Amino acid sequence: MKYPLTPLALGVALLLSLPARAADIDWKKVDAALGKTAAVGGEVHRYGLPRSDLHVTLDGVSIKPALALGGWVAFAPMHGEAMLMGDLVLLETEITPVMTKLLESGLDITAIHNHILRAAPATFYMHVAGHGDPEKMAASIRSALSSASKTPFDSPATTAGPAPAIDLDTAKIDAVMGAKGTANGGVYQFGIPRREPATEGAMQVNAALGGANAINFQPTSNGKAAITGDFLVTGNEVNPLIRALRAGDIEVTAIHSHMLDENPRMFFIHFWADDDALKLAHGVRAALDKTAVAQR
């Protein structure tokens, strides 16, 4: 079992889906080890680990998992083995026991941080990485989360009827944002890439797994929405962006990094507001325009 690699090597390999021998991996066994079914994009197999067990509120808003509680792990095949990267949503009391279990299994921890403020209960986000047998790594993730957290692994009960409605004027939001959003679990989501993605080790960090600005709108009432997510920016863009957010009455809740050796150096800026959705879309777009995002 040989999980550990540097975060640099992990990020490059996973985000780029390096040429690999995917046929060497029995993905049904990985699914069984994790107790989940992957969403497959190219060579990457991604597993959602939403904290649907948690009832988190912030400023009177009941947060849907797709807004700010969507943990995940993903595997990219590489030379018959796999690279692992993920982001686990944890309560404060779960951080140390989950970390201990993961470290004992040979996996790496690359970051721990908050995304939002004042939430009850408070939630934190632990980034994990590894390299080796994907079935064994999947089993390690499930074992750590099952024994040291209440992260659910059972399939949610299916209910008849349509998906939760997005009670917002999404066409107008799209027009302001200059992009087309997608509905997911009652949340309207945008992934807006940078014009020139960062590189690590001369390799491009694309939008597939973390190389894009993530903007989420959850309807609250009467055309209002709670928004959160993160912007991906260079150091010289940090303060112009957060000034634009504050000018739009959008709260800045976290500034941190995920990668260690990228070029240019990148930072992730999280935010929160609950207000008129179109007003917030204009505020977010004004902030995006302070950065090197892809053209509308």
Side-chain angles (χ1 to χ4, degrees), residues 1-7 10 34 49 72-75 82-88 98-111 126-145:
M1 190 180 303
K2 44 181 177 179
Y3 301 162
L5 272 185
T6 66
L10 290 164
L34 195 56
L49 296 168
W72 56 272
V73 292
F75 299 84
M83 313 297 289
L84 163 72
M85 182 175 284
D87 188 7
L88 310 178
V98 168
M99 177 190 292
T100 300
K101 289 283 188 180
L102 293 174
L103 293 174
E104 287 174 347
S105 74
L107 292 171
D108 288 338
I109 309 300
T110 60
M126 179 183 293
H127 290 262
V128 298
H131 169 239
D133 182 330
E135 184 181 353
K136 291 179 180 178
M137 291 191 291
S140 295
I141 291 288
R142 184 172 185 178
S143 176
L145 291 178

Side-chain angles (χ1 to χ4, degrees), residues 16-289:
L16 296 174
S17 299
L18 293 176
R21 293 161 57 191
D24 291 341
I25 296 174
D26 187 338
W27 290 107
K28 289 184 179 179
K29 289 185 177 179
V30 181
D31 289 355
L34 195 56
K36 296 280 187 176
T37 300
V40 183
E43 295 286 343
V44 175
H45 287 239
R46 176 166 170 146
Y47 299 83
L49 296 168
R51 291 303 299 264
S52 55
D53 61 308
L54 297 178
H55 301 284
V56 179
T57 60
L58 171 52
D59 296 346
V61 176
S62 181
I63 295 176
K64 295 181 182 295
L67 183 68
L69 303 173
W72 56 272
V73 292
F75 299 84
M78 184 178 180
H79 308 305
E81 297 183 320
M83 313 297 289
L84 163 72
M85 182 175 284
D87 188 7
L88 310 178
V89 182
L90 300 171
L91 296 175
E92 185 174 1
T93 55
E94 296 171 341
I95 293 173
T96 297
V98 168
M99 177 190 292
T100 300
K101 289 283 188 180
L102 293 174
L103 293 174
E104 287 174 347
S105 74
L107 292 171
D108 288 338
I109 309 300
T110 60
I112 302 173
H113 49 248
N114 69 291
H115 287 181
I116 50 181
L117 304 173
R118 303 183 305 282
T123 53
F124 297 86
Y125 304 81
M126 179 183 293
H127 290 262
V128 298
H131 169 239
D133 182 330
E135 184 181 353
K136 291 179 180 178
M137 291 191 291
S140 295
I141 291 288
R142 184 172 185 178
S143 176
L145 291 178
S146 296
S147 64
S149 84
K150 294 184 178 180
T151 302
F153 282 86
D154 294 334
S155 299
T158 57
T159 57
I166 303 295
D167 187 19
L168 298 170
D169 191 333
T170 56
K172 288 185 178 178
I173 294 174
D174 288 348
V176 173
M177 293 291 293
K180 176 65 178 174
T182 58
N184 177 23
V187 176
Y188 200 58
Q189 300 181 321
F190 292 88
I192 300 177
R194 289 185 62 83
R195 188 160 58 243
E196 296 181 2
T199 61
E200 278 194 317
M203 304 242 184
Q204 188 180 90
V205 180
N206 63 26
L209 289 170
N213 299 279
I215 316 295
N216 301 326
F217 289 75
Q218 178 181 312
T220 48
S221 64
N222 301 317
K224 295 176 64 177
I227 63 168
T228 191
D230 58 357
F231 296 90
L232 176 60
V233 300
T234 55
N236 64 313
E237 294 170 341
V238 170
N239 278 283
L241 182 134
I242 63 176
R243 286 191 170 95
L245 290 174
R246 294 304 302 128
D249 292 327
I250 298 171
E251 182 179 19
V252 177
T253 58
I255 301 173
H256 55 248
S257 59
H258 290 176
M259 299 173 282
L260 298 179
D261 195 32
E262 72 278 13
N263 182 32
R265 185 75 167 132
M266 305 302 298
F267 298 87
F268 294 78
I269 299 178
H270 292 266
F271 57 94
W272 170 264
D274 180 15
D275 205 337
D276 178 81
L278 289 177
K279 171 189 171 183
L280 294 178
H282 281 286
V284 167
R285 187 67 236 188
L288 283 169
D289 288 340

